[in-house]
Amino acid sequence: MDTDNNTRQWAQLFVVSADHRLLLIHHPNASAPWRPAGGELCLEEGFGEAARRALEASTGLAGPLGPLLHECEVPGEQSPGRWRERYFLVRHDPASQTRREMPGRWWSLDELRQAPAGQLKPAWLPELLERVIAGDGHAPSSAARL
């Protein structure tokens, strides 16, 4: 893990279903309660490894990790410093699902656009889903910068 003492690293999962819905996990005590699944990198772990670990642990899904969609660095919420985040596309294949019910909720693009201010983190989730959908099922060839 390549980071300084003030930057934490987080692998985010942009899990999209065949009908173009985005899986978001509910965090009731967070400032913005609906967020993508993900996990902080452990010592000596890369972003891809963390994303695969978080995919299984937080969603019960297994399968290939798609391309990197987005990278950003944001201020920390509850501690001083910054968060370095990378968002990976994961196509949801119902055949790979190990849990009967998924945690969280599947959101359509219209539902994301109509969500009340402050409910989604990050706020640009609708724009990224729109880019994935516009790619006709394919992610951008390079990381999207929003």
Side-chain angles (χ1 to χ4, degrees):
M1 178 169 59
D2 178 27
T3 185
D4 59 48
N5 290 337
N6 293 322
T7 303
R8 297 170 74 179
Q9 299 189 85
W10 197 268
Q12 299 282 29
L13 304 166
F14 206 76
V15 182
V16 179
S17 67
D19 62 351
H20 303 298
R21 292 178 177 271
L22 176 65
L23 178 64
L24 297 180
I25 308 298
H26 191 245
H27 300 271
N29 297 324
S31 58
W34 290 101
R35 302 164 183 230
E40 187 172 6
L41 274 66
C42 296
L43 189 62
E44 303 300 321
E45 184 177 46
F47 278 97
E49 294 166 307
R52 281 185 283 283
R53 175 180 46 79
L55 178 63
E56 188 174 332
S58 62
T59 70
L61 297 176
L65 192 61
L68 176 65
L69 295 175
H70 183 70
E71 296 180 73
C72 60
E73 200 166 297
V74 296
E77 277 188 42
Q78 299 170 347
S79 60
R82 301 193 59 76
W83 283 95
R84 183 173 297 126
E85 300 177 334
R86 290 187 183 171
Y87 289 77
F88 294 91
L89 178 63
V90 176
R91 292 288 180 186
H92 174 36
D93 174 8
S96 70
Q97 189 169 331
T98 58
R99 292 183 186 169
R100 257 189 202 277
E101 293 185 32
M102 295 292 294
R105 175 179 160 209
W106 292 96
W107 294 67
S108 70
L109 181 56
D110 286 340
E111 290 170 328
L112 290 171
R113 288 179 176 153
Q114 295 170 10
Q119 290 295 299
L120 306 175
K121 180 163 181 137
W124 44 257
L125 290 173
E127 288 82 7
L128 189 55
L129 181 57
E130 186 172 32
R131 286 183 181 195
V132 170
I133 292 169
D136 194 28
H138 298 90
S141 58
S142 61
R145 300 276 182 187
L146 297 177

